[in-house]
Amino acid sequence: MSVALPPAASLSNRAPGVDILVIAAADFHAEISLLGGQLLSFRPAGEQPLLYLSPQARYQPGKAIRGGVPLCWPWFGPHPCDPAQPAHGVARTQAWRLDEVREDAGTFHVKLSGPEHDGLTAEMEYRLGAAVEAALTTRNHGDRPLRLGAALHSYLAVGDARLATLSGLDGARCHDKVAGRESRWPDGEFRFHGEVDSIVYSERPALLRDPVWQRCIRVTAEGAGSVVVWNPGAEKTALLGDLPTTAWLDFVCVETANAGDDVRELAPGANHRMACRLTLEPFHAEAGV
């Protein structure tokens, strides 16, 4: 079934089995991959990109695309009981169906239907305009309660990760996966020096300040009690074949998530909506959320 597209939208093929929805609007340019159902890029007119997309990303069915907003679903990280299952679930490596694309006063609404796994189904809705909004809805079609873990794995583009700071998560309980311990997120502005991989249990908005590109990115979540903060650092980046060796300087991941202790349980017939809003704001000297 073909979907009617507004004039600013078109479909292209990047590689066999990898179709891309391109939106070339007056105020922004965006791409959504139907492989993985993920927002690949969003660039406001005349500005730096909001999201980082690796120039070495692999476009191949069954492989995850490095960058943009990959969808981790229906588990985050390793499968809780089957190590043979793929890391971060099945959503980011499977084909999604494009259900709707429409424009309303310069804002584009995109709906996609994703894979089914063990009685769970996934749907994505994007609203692209003055801000980027992404909502992942999961439904339990089975006859037993099912566990759900997920993340909107946002690669936020920055001028230099070493100079960027993250605020808004002060004192929240967190699991530091690099150190392998439970701790508290530091108060004040957090700076990125080396590898960072933490699940932070917070529902508060986070603010990423970028002095190089003179802007801030505000991350606001809904239906999520955890934030995954990730940057691979120089050593781990060198081990990843789909990233340039210096790519860790170009992004910070601030992921809206149901991860760690925030994994949800869906009753039969129930659904859960997890969403994030990414907003570009003017740069200011003092941190604040």
Side-chain angles (χ1 to χ4, degrees), residues 1-13 19-24 30 32 34 97-104 107-112 128:
M1 180 183 69
S2 61
V3 174
L5 300 178
S10 62
L11 281 169
S12 66
N13 183 260
D19 292 327
I20 306 292
L21 174 67
V22 180
I23 301 176
I32 296 173
L34 302 191
R97 185 185 72 226
L98 182 63
D99 294 329
E100 181 182 22
V101 184
R102 62 182 175 86
E103 179 190 2
D104 180 13
T107 297
F108 287 76
H109 304 255
V110 180
K111 293 183 178 181
L112 305 102
L128 308 176

PDB file of all heavy atoms in Angstrom, residues 1-13 19-24 30 32 34 97-104 107-112 128:
ATOM      1  N   MET A   1       0.849  -1.194   0.000  1.00  0.00           N
ATOM      2  CA  MET A   1       0.000   0.000   0.000  1.00  0.00           C
ATOM      3  C   MET A   1       0.882   1.241   0.000  1.00  0.00           C
ATOM      4  O   MET A   1       1.754   1.404   0.862  1.00  0.00           O
ATOM      5  CB  MET A   1      -0.909   0.013   1.235  1.00  0.00           C
ATOM      6  CG  MET A   1      -1.830   1.234   1.286  1.00  0.00           C
ATOM      7  SD  MET A   1      -2.837   1.261   2.804  1.00  0.00           S
ATOM      8  CE  MET A   1      -1.582   1.581   4.039  1.00  0.00           C
ATOM      9  N   SER A   2       0.696   2.107  -0.976  1.00  0.00           N
ATOM     10  CA  SER A   2       1.478   3.335  -1.049  1.00  0.00           C
ATOM     11  C   SER A   2       0.842   4.404  -0.174  1.00  0.00           C
ATOM     12  O   SER A   2      -0.372   4.425   0.049  1.00  0.00           O
ATOM     13  CB  SER A   2       1.567   3.819  -2.499  1.00  0.00           C
ATOM     14  OG  SER A   2       0.269   4.097  -3.008  1.00  0.00           O
ATOM     15  N   VAL A   3       1.682   5.295   0.318  1.00  0.00           N
ATOM     16  CA  VAL A   3       1.249   6.375   1.192  1.00  0.00           C
ATOM     17  C   VAL A   3       1.366   7.693   0.443  1.00  0.00           C
ATOM     18  O   VAL A   3       2.399   7.971  -0.189  1.00  0.00           O
ATOM     19  CB  VAL A   3       2.111   6.411   2.471  1.00  0.00           C
ATOM     20  CG1 VAL A   3       1.771   7.612   3.322  1.00  0.00           C
ATOM     21  CG2 VAL A   3       1.912   5.119   3.265  1.00  0.00           C
ATOM     22  N   ALA A   4       0.318   8.507   0.489  1.00  0.00           N
ATOM     23  CA  ALA A   4       0.369   9.820  -0.148  1.00  0.00           C
ATOM     24  C   ALA A   4       1.376  10.700   0.580  1.00  0.00           C
ATOM     25  O   ALA A   4       1.387  10.752   1.819  1.00  0.00           O
ATOM     26  CB  ALA A   4      -1.018  10.460  -0.130  1.00  0.00           C
ATOM     27  N   LEU A   5       2.226  11.372  -0.171  1.00  0.00           N
ATOM     28  CA  LEU A   5       3.264  12.210   0.408  1.00  0.00           C
ATOM     29  C   LEU A   5       3.007  13.680   0.084  1.00  0.00           C
ATOM     30  O   LEU A   5       2.634  14.011  -1.047  1.00  0.00           O
ATOM     31  CB  LEU A   5       4.642  11.810  -0.140  1.00  0.00           C
ATOM     32  CG  LEU A   5       5.107  10.375   0.105  1.00  0.00           C
ATOM     33  CD1 LEU A   5       6.460  10.153  -0.549  1.00  0.00           C
ATOM     34  CD2 LEU A   5       5.179  10.074   1.594  1.00  0.00           C
ATOM     35  N   PRO A   6       3.205  14.565   1.056  1.00  0.00           N
ATOM     36  CA  PRO A   6       3.118  15.995   0.760  1.00  0.00           C
ATOM     37  C   PRO A   6       4.250  16.400  -0.175  1.00  0.00           C
ATOM     38  O   PRO A   6       5.241  15.668  -0.325  1.00  0.00           O
ATOM     39  CB  PRO A   6       3.244  16.650   2.137  1.00  0.00           C
ATOM     40  CG  PRO A   6       3.905  15.629   3.007  1.00  0.00           C
ATOM     41  CD  PRO A   6       3.515  14.298   2.474  1.00  0.00           C
ATOM     42  N   PRO A   7       4.153  17.580  -0.823  1.00  0.00           N
ATOM     43  CA  PRO A   7       5.142  17.966  -1.834  1.00  0.00           C
ATOM     44  C   PRO A   7       6.586  17.974  -1.342  1.00  0.00           C
ATOM     45  O   PRO A   7       7.503  17.697  -2.119  1.00  0.00           O
ATOM     46  CB  PRO A   7       4.687  19.372  -2.237  1.00  0.00           C
ATOM     47  CG  PRO A   7       3.220  19.382  -1.969  1.00  0.00           C
ATOM     48  CD  PRO A   7       3.032  18.538  -0.752  1.00  0.00           C
ATOM     49  N   ALA A   8       6.810  18.283  -0.074  1.00  0.00           N
ATOM     50  CA  ALA A   8       8.178  18.386   0.433  1.00  0.00           C
ATOM     51  C   ALA A   8       8.783  17.032   0.787  1.00  0.00           C
ATOM     52  O   ALA A   8       9.969  16.958   1.137  1.00  0.00           O
ATOM     53  CB  ALA A   8       8.216  19.295   1.660  1.00  0.00           C
ATOM     54  N   ALA A   9       8.010  15.954   0.700  1.00  0.00           N
ATOM     55  CA  ALA A   9       8.483  14.630   1.104  1.00  0.00           C
ATOM     56  C   ALA A   9       8.658  13.726  -0.105  1.00  0.00           C
ATOM     57  O   ALA A   9       7.926  13.817  -1.092  1.00  0.00           O
ATOM     58  CB  ALA A   9       7.510  13.995   2.092  1.00  0.00           C
ATOM     59  N   SER A  10       9.648  12.837  -0.014  1.00  0.00           N
ATOM     60  CA  SER A  10       9.892  11.876  -1.087  1.00  0.00           C
ATOM     61  C   SER A  10      10.549  10.632  -0.505  1.00  0.00           C
ATOM     62  O   SER A  10      11.109  10.667   0.592  1.00  0.00           O
ATOM     63  CB  SER A  10      10.784  12.478  -2.174  1.00  0.00           C
ATOM     64  OG  SER A  10      12.054  12.827  -1.644  1.00  0.00           O
ATOM     65  N   LEU A  11      10.480   9.545  -1.248  1.00  0.00           N
ATOM     66  CA  LEU A  11      11.133   8.300  -0.859  1.00  0.00           C
ATOM     67  C   LEU A  11      12.306   8.033  -1.787  1.00  0.00           C
ATOM     68  O   LEU A  11      12.215   8.216  -3.004  1.00  0.00           O
ATOM     69  CB  LEU A  11      10.152   7.129  -0.928  1.00  0.00           C
ATOM     70  CG  LEU A  11       9.176   6.983   0.249  1.00  0.00           C
ATOM     71  CD1 LEU A  11       8.107   5.951  -0.075  1.00  0.00           C
ATOM     72  CD2 LEU A  11       9.915   6.586   1.523  1.00  0.00           C
ATOM     73  N   SER A  12      13.428   7.608  -1.203  1.00  0.00           N
ATOM     74  CA  SER A  12      14.597   7.246  -1.992  1.00  0.00           C
ATOM     75  C   SER A  12      15.150   5.931  -1.471  1.00  0.00           C
ATOM     76  O   SER A  12      14.808   5.490  -0.371  1.00  0.00           O
ATOM     77  CB  SER A  12      15.668   8.341  -1.922  1.00  0.00           C
ATOM     78  OG  SER A  12      16.183   8.445  -0.602  1.00  0.00           O
ATOM     79  N   ASN A  13      16.012   5.313  -2.262  1.00  0.00           N
ATOM     80  CA  ASN A  13      16.613   4.040  -1.879  1.00  0.00           C
ATOM     81  C   ASN A  13      18.115   4.248  -1.707  1.00  0.00           C
ATOM     82  O   ASN A  13      18.809   4.593  -2.654  1.00  0.00           O
ATOM     83  CB  ASN A  13      16.337   2.978  -2.944  1.00  0.00           C
ATOM     84  CG  ASN A  13      16.888   1.629  -2.553  1.00  0.00           C
ATOM     85  OD1 ASN A  13      17.948   1.229  -3.004  1.00  0.00           O
ATOM     86  ND2 ASN A  13      16.165   0.914  -1.704  1.00  0.00           N
ATOM     87  N   ASP A  19      15.125   1.873   2.404  1.00  0.00           N
ATOM     88  CA  ASP A  19      14.382   3.016   1.862  1.00  0.00           C
ATOM     89  C   ASP A  19      14.402   4.162   2.860  1.00  0.00           C
ATOM     90  O   ASP A  19      14.298   3.944   4.075  1.00  0.00           O
ATOM     91  CB  ASP A  19      12.941   2.620   1.549  1.00  0.00           C
ATOM     92  CG  ASP A  19      12.852   1.647   0.386  1.00  0.00           C
ATOM     93  OD1 ASP A  19      13.686   1.742  -0.534  1.00  0.00           O
ATOM     94  OD2 ASP A  19      11.944   0.789   0.398  1.00  0.00           O
ATOM     95  N   ILE A  20      14.513   5.371   2.345  1.00  0.00           N
ATOM     96  CA  ILE A  20      14.644   6.573   3.166  1.00  0.00           C
ATOM     97  C   ILE A  20      13.531   7.547   2.822  1.00  0.00           C
ATOM     98  O   ILE A  20      13.304   7.854   1.636  1.00  0.00           O
ATOM     99  CB  ILE A  20      16.008   7.266   2.933  1.00  0.00           C
ATOM    100  CG1 ILE A  20      17.164   6.294   3.141  1.00  0.00           C
ATOM    101  CG2 ILE A  20      16.131   8.487   3.839  1.00  0.00           C
ATOM    102  CD1 ILE A  20      17.359   5.830   4.550  1.00  0.00           C
ATOM    103  N   LEU A  21      12.823   8.034   3.840  1.00  0.00           N
ATOM    104  CA  LEU A  21      11.881   9.132   3.673  1.00  0.00           C
ATOM    105  C   LEU A  21      12.646  10.436   3.848  1.00  0.00           C
ATOM    106  O   LEU A  21      13.253  10.668   4.896  1.00  0.00           O
ATOM    107  CB  LEU A  21      10.752   9.044   4.699  1.00  0.00           C
ATOM    108  CG  LEU A  21       9.775  10.226   4.725  1.00  0.00           C
ATOM    109  CD1 LEU A  21       8.958  10.290   3.436  1.00  0.00           C
ATOM    110  CD2 LEU A  21       8.856  10.148   5.939  1.00  0.00           C
ATOM    111  N   VAL A  22      12.643  11.261   2.813  1.00  0.00           N
ATOM    112  CA  VAL A  22      13.342  12.546   2.829  1.00  0.00           C
ATOM    113  C   VAL A  22      12.314  13.661   2.915  1.00  0.00           C
ATOM    114  O   VAL A  22      11.360  13.693   2.137  1.00  0.00           O
ATOM    115  CB  VAL A  22      14.211  12.723   1.561  1.00  0.00           C
ATOM    116  CG1 VAL A  22      14.929  14.070   1.590  1.00  0.00           C
ATOM    117  CG2 VAL A  22      15.213  11.581   1.444  1.00  0.00           C
ATOM    118  N   ILE A  23      12.501  14.561   3.865  1.00  0.00           N
ATOM    119  CA  ILE A  23      11.632  15.736   3.990  1.00  0.00           C
ATOM    120  C   ILE A  23      12.495  16.966   3.792  1.00  0.00           C
ATOM    121  O   ILE A  23      13.372  17.272   4.615  1.00  0.00           O
ATOM    122  CB  ILE A  23      10.927  15.777   5.352  1.00  0.00           C
ATOM    123  CG1 ILE A  23      10.072  14.528   5.549  1.00  0.00           C
ATOM    124  CG2 ILE A  23      10.068  17.040   5.472  1.00  0.00           C
ATOM    125  CD1 ILE A  23       9.403  14.435   6.905  1.00  0.00           C
ATOM    126  N   ALA A  24      12.268  17.661   2.677  1.00  0.00           N
ATOM    127  CA  ALA A  24      13.006  18.881   2.357  1.00  0.00           C
ATOM    128  C   ALA A  24      12.059  20.062   2.528  1.00  0.00           C
ATOM    129  O   ALA A  24      11.488  20.572   1.552  1.00  0.00           O
ATOM    130  CB  ALA A  24      13.565  18.811   0.941  1.00  0.00           C
ATOM    131  N   ALA A  30      15.253  16.653   6.742  1.00  0.00           N
ATOM    132  CA  ALA A  30      15.262  15.486   7.624  1.00  0.00           C
ATOM    133  C   ALA A  30      15.199  14.211   6.800  1.00  0.00           C
ATOM    134  O   ALA A  30      14.694  14.209   5.669  1.00  0.00           O
ATOM    135  CB  ALA A  30      14.095  15.534   8.608  1.00  0.00           C
ATOM    136  N   ILE A  32      14.343   9.885   7.436  1.00  0.00           N
ATOM    137  CA  ILE A  32      13.912   8.778   8.291  1.00  0.00           C
ATOM    138  C   ILE A  32      14.125   7.490   7.520  1.00  0.00           C
ATOM    139  O   ILE A  32      13.664   7.348   6.378  1.00  0.00           O
ATOM    140  CB  ILE A  32      12.431   8.924   8.689  1.00  0.00           C
ATOM    141  CG1 ILE A  32      12.225  10.171   9.544  1.00  0.00           C
ATOM    142  CG2 ILE A  32      11.953   7.686   9.438  1.00  0.00           C
ATOM    143  CD1 ILE A  32      10.768  10.488   9.835  1.00  0.00           C
ATOM    144  N   LEU A  34      13.402   3.619   6.826  1.00  0.00           N
ATOM    145  CA  LEU A  34      12.397   2.592   7.085  1.00  0.00           C
ATOM    146  C   LEU A  34      13.059   1.309   7.582  1.00  0.00           C
ATOM    147  O   LEU A  34      12.374   0.438   8.128  1.00  0.00           O
ATOM    148  CB  LEU A  34      11.566   2.325   5.831  1.00  0.00           C
ATOM    149  CG  LEU A  34      10.824   3.543   5.250  1.00  0.00           C
ATOM    150  CD1 LEU A  34       9.833   3.090   4.189  1.00  0.00           C
ATOM    151  CD2 LEU A  34      10.129   4.351   6.326  1.00  0.00           C
ATOM    152  N   ARG A  97       7.040  -0.238   8.431  1.00  0.00           N
ATOM    153  CA  ARG A  97       6.088   0.163   7.393  1.00  0.00           C
ATOM    154  C   ARG A  97       5.725   1.633   7.565  1.00  0.00           C
ATOM    155  O   ARG A  97       5.400   2.071   8.672  1.00  0.00           O
ATOM    156  CB  ARG A  97       4.828  -0.699   7.467  1.00  0.00           C
ATOM    157  CG  ARG A  97       3.826  -0.419   6.334  1.00  0.00           C
ATOM    158  CD  ARG A  97       2.556  -1.208   6.518  1.00  0.00           C
ATOM    159  NE  ARG A  97       1.758  -0.698   7.622  1.00  0.00           N
ATOM    160  CZ  ARG A  97       1.195  -1.455   8.563  1.00  0.00           C
ATOM    161  NH1 ARG A  97       1.376  -2.764   8.549  1.00  0.00           N
ATOM    162  NH2 ARG A  97       0.463  -0.907   9.517  1.00  0.00           N
ATOM    163  N   LEU A  98       5.789   2.368   6.481  1.00  0.00           N
ATOM    164  CA  LEU A  98       5.377   3.773   6.503  1.00  0.00           C
ATOM    165  C   LEU A  98       3.863   3.843   6.379  1.00  0.00           C
ATOM    166  O   LEU A  98       3.281   3.398   5.389  1.00  0.00           O
ATOM    167  CB  LEU A  98       6.045   4.525   5.346  1.00  0.00           C
ATOM    168  CG  LEU A  98       5.755   6.022   5.243  1.00  0.00           C
ATOM    169  CD1 LEU A  98       6.267   6.770   6.472  1.00  0.00           C
ATOM    170  CD2 LEU A  98       6.378   6.596   3.972  1.00  0.00           C
ATOM    171  N   ASP A  99       3.191   4.405   7.399  1.00  0.00           N
ATOM    172  CA  ASP A  99       1.728   4.441   7.438  1.00  0.00           C
ATOM    173  C   ASP A  99       1.147   5.799   7.055  1.00  0.00           C
ATOM    174  O   ASP A  99       0.056   5.862   6.488  1.00  0.00           O
ATOM    175  CB  ASP A  99       1.227   4.072   8.840  1.00  0.00           C
ATOM    176  CG  ASP A  99       1.522   2.635   9.202  1.00  0.00           C
ATOM    177  OD1 ASP A  99       1.549   1.781   8.296  1.00  0.00           O
ATOM    178  OD2 ASP A  99       1.754   2.356  10.401  1.00  0.00           O
ATOM    179  N   GLU A 100       1.855   6.879   7.396  1.00  0.00           N
ATOM    180  CA  GLU A 100       1.288   8.210   7.141  1.00  0.00           C
ATOM    181  C   GLU A 100       2.387   9.263   7.128  1.00  0.00           C
ATOM    182  O   GLU A 100       3.327   9.205   7.924  1.00  0.00           O
ATOM    183  CB  GLU A 100       0.254   8.570   8.218  1.00  0.00           C
ATOM    184  CG  GLU A 100      -0.396   9.924   8.026  1.00  0.00           C
ATOM    185  CD  GLU A 100      -1.381  10.293   9.134  1.00  0.00           C
ATOM    186  OE1 GLU A 100      -1.261   9.719  10.245  1.00  0.00           O
ATOM    187  OE2 GLU A 100      -2.241  11.157   8.905  1.00  0.00           O
ATOM    188  N   VAL A 101       2.260  10.210   6.212  1.00  0.00           N
ATOM    189  CA  VAL A 101       3.085  11.423   6.203  1.00  0.00           C
ATOM    190  C   VAL A 101       2.159  12.582   5.864  1.00  0.00           C
ATOM    191  O   VAL A 101       1.510  12.578   4.823  1.00  0.00           O
ATOM    192  CB  VAL A 101       4.215  11.362   5.155  1.00  0.00           C
ATOM    193  CG1 VAL A 101       5.099  12.602   5.267  1.00  0.00           C
ATOM    194  CG2 VAL A 101       5.037  10.098   5.297  1.00  0.00           C
ATOM    195  N   ARG A 102       2.089  13.548   6.746  1.00  0.00           N
ATOM    196  CA  ARG A 102       1.260  14.717   6.453  1.00  0.00           C
ATOM    197  C   ARG A 102       1.897  15.973   7.017  1.00  0.00           C
ATOM    198  O   ARG A 102       2.702  15.913   7.952  1.00  0.00           O
ATOM    199  CB  ARG A 102      -0.155  14.552   7.009  1.00  0.00           C
ATOM    200  CG  ARG A 102      -0.247  14.416   8.503  1.00  0.00           C
ATOM    201  CD  ARG A 102      -1.694  14.217   8.952  1.00  0.00           C
ATOM    202  NE  ARG A 102      -1.776  13.979  10.389  1.00  0.00           N
ATOM    203  CZ  ARG A 102      -1.841  14.947  11.305  1.00  0.00           C
ATOM    204  NH1 ARG A 102      -1.884  16.241  10.919  1.00  0.00           N
ATOM    205  NH2 ARG A 102      -1.912  14.650  12.593  1.00  0.00           N
ATOM    206  N   GLU A 103       1.527  17.087   6.425  1.00  0.00           N
ATOM    207  CA  GLU A 103       2.052  18.390   6.854  1.00  0.00           C
ATOM    208  C   GLU A 103       0.924  19.233   7.406  1.00  0.00           C
ATOM    209  O   GLU A 103      -0.187  19.255   6.857  1.00  0.00           O
ATOM    210  CB  GLU A 103       2.715  19.117   5.687  1.00  0.00           C
ATOM    211  CG  GLU A 103       3.262  20.488   6.064  1.00  0.00           C
ATOM    212  CD  GLU A 103       3.710  21.307   4.878  1.00  0.00           C
ATOM    213  OE1 GLU A 103       3.562  20.845   3.733  1.00  0.00           O
ATOM    214  OE2 GLU A 103       4.182  22.440   5.101  1.00  0.00           O
ATOM    215  N   ASP A 104       1.200  19.928   8.498  1.00  0.00           N
ATOM    216  CA  ASP A 104       0.235  20.828   9.107  1.00  0.00           C
ATOM    217  C   ASP A 104       0.963  22.104   9.511  1.00  0.00           C
ATOM    218  O   ASP A 104       1.699  22.117  10.504  1.00  0.00           O
ATOM    219  CB  ASP A 104      -0.417  20.166  10.322  1.00  0.00           C
ATOM    220  CG  ASP A 104      -1.443  21.051  11.004  1.00  0.00           C
ATOM    221  OD1 ASP A 104      -1.831  22.081  10.413  1.00  0.00           O
ATOM    222  OD2 ASP A 104      -1.845  20.720  12.135  1.00  0.00           O
ATOM    223  N   THR A 107       4.698  21.771  10.122  1.00  0.00           N
ATOM    224  CA  THR A 107       5.101  20.635  10.948  1.00  0.00           C
ATOM    225  C   THR A 107       4.714  19.347  10.232  1.00  0.00           C
ATOM    226  O   THR A 107       3.588  19.202   9.754  1.00  0.00           O
ATOM    227  CB  THR A 107       4.431  20.682  12.330  1.00  0.00           C
ATOM    228  OG1 THR A 107       4.859  21.858  13.028  1.00  0.00           O
ATOM    229  CG2 THR A 107       4.795  19.464  13.155  1.00  0.00           C
ATOM    230  N   PHE A 108       5.660  18.405  10.167  1.00  0.00           N
ATOM    231  CA  PHE A 108       5.426  17.154   9.467  1.00  0.00           C
ATOM    232  C   PHE A 108       5.190  16.038  10.482  1.00  0.00           C
ATOM    233  O   PHE A 108       5.934  15.887  11.452  1.00  0.00           O
ATOM    234  CB  PHE A 108       6.613  16.818   8.559  1.00  0.00           C
ATOM    235  CG  PHE A 108       6.682  17.688   7.341  1.00  0.00           C
ATOM    236  CD1 PHE A 108       7.144  18.995   7.439  1.00  0.00           C
ATOM    237  CD2 PHE A 108       6.270  17.216   6.107  1.00  0.00           C
ATOM    238  CE1 PHE A 108       7.201  19.818   6.316  1.00  0.00           C
ATOM    239  CE2 PHE A 108       6.319  18.027   4.984  1.00  0.00           C
ATOM    240  CZ  PHE A 108       6.791  19.337   5.088  1.00  0.00           C
ATOM    241  N   HIS A 109       4.140  15.258  10.226  1.00  0.00           N
ATOM    242  CA  HIS A 109       3.752  14.143  11.086  1.00  0.00           C
ATOM    243  C   HIS A 109       4.007  12.854  10.316  1.00  0.00           C
ATOM    244  O   HIS A 109       3.491  12.677   9.208  1.00  0.00           O
ATOM    245  CB  HIS A 109       2.280  14.244  11.477  1.00  0.00           C
ATOM    246  CG  HIS A 109       1.913  15.530  12.147  1.00  0.00           C
ATOM    247  ND1 HIS A 109       1.683  15.626  13.504  1.00  0.00           N
ATOM    248  CD2 HIS A 109       1.735  16.783  11.647  1.00  0.00           C
ATOM    249  CE1 HIS A 109       1.383  16.866  13.811  1.00  0.00           C
ATOM    250  NE2 HIS A 109       1.414  17.596  12.700  1.00  0.00           N
ATOM    251  N   VAL A 110       4.782  11.962  10.912  1.00  0.00           N
ATOM    252  CA  VAL A 110       5.130  10.701  10.265  1.00  0.00           C
ATOM    253  C   VAL A 110       4.792   9.559  11.222  1.00  0.00           C
ATOM    254  O   VAL A 110       5.176   9.579  12.395  1.00  0.00           O
ATOM    255  CB  VAL A 110       6.628  10.642   9.901  1.00  0.00           C
ATOM    256  CG1 VAL A 110       6.964   9.316   9.227  1.00  0.00           C
ATOM    257  CG2 VAL A 110       7.010  11.816   9.010  1.00  0.00           C
ATOM    258  N   LYS A 111       4.075   8.555  10.703  1.00  0.00           N
ATOM    259  CA  LYS A 111       3.735   7.375  11.498  1.00  0.00           C
ATOM    260  C   LYS A 111       4.272   6.128  10.821  1.00  0.00           C
ATOM    261  O   LYS A 111       4.156   5.982   9.599  1.00  0.00           O
ATOM    262  CB  LYS A 111       2.214   7.257  11.679  1.00  0.00           C
ATOM    263  CG  LYS A 111       1.593   8.366  12.520  1.00  0.00           C
ATOM    264  CD  LYS A 111       0.107   8.144  12.712  1.00  0.00           C
ATOM    265  CE  LYS A 111      -0.517   9.227  13.585  1.00  0.00           C
ATOM    266  NZ  LYS A 111      -1.975   9.014  13.803  1.00  0.00           N
ATOM    267  N   LEU A 112       4.838   5.235  11.630  1.00  0.00           N
ATOM    268  CA  LEU A 112       5.381   3.978  11.137  1.00  0.00           C
ATOM    269  C   LEU A 112       4.961   2.841  12.053  1.00  0.00           C
ATOM    270  O   LEU A 112       4.814   3.035  13.259  1.00  0.00           O
ATOM    271  CB  LEU A 112       6.910   4.019  11.063  1.00  0.00           C
ATOM    272  CG  LEU A 112       7.577   5.128  10.269  1.00  0.00           C
ATOM    273  CD1 LEU A 112       8.112   6.185  11.224  1.00  0.00           C
ATOM    274  CD2 LEU A 112       8.707   4.576   9.411  1.00  0.00           C
ATOM    275  N   LEU A 128       8.033  16.731  13.251  1.00  0.00           N
ATOM    276  CA  LEU A 128       9.235  17.459  12.887  1.00  0.00           C
ATOM    277  C   LEU A 128       8.858  18.873  12.461  1.00  0.00           C
ATOM    278  O   LEU A 128       8.066  19.067  11.532  1.00  0.00           O
ATOM    279  CB  LEU A 128       9.959  16.747  11.736  1.00  0.00           C
ATOM    280  CG  LEU A 128      10.251  15.259  11.952  1.00  0.00           C
ATOM    281  CD1 LEU A 128      10.879  14.659  10.697  1.00  0.00           C
ATOM    282  CD2 LEU A 128      11.149  15.051  13.152  1.00  0.00           C
TER     283      LEU A 128
END
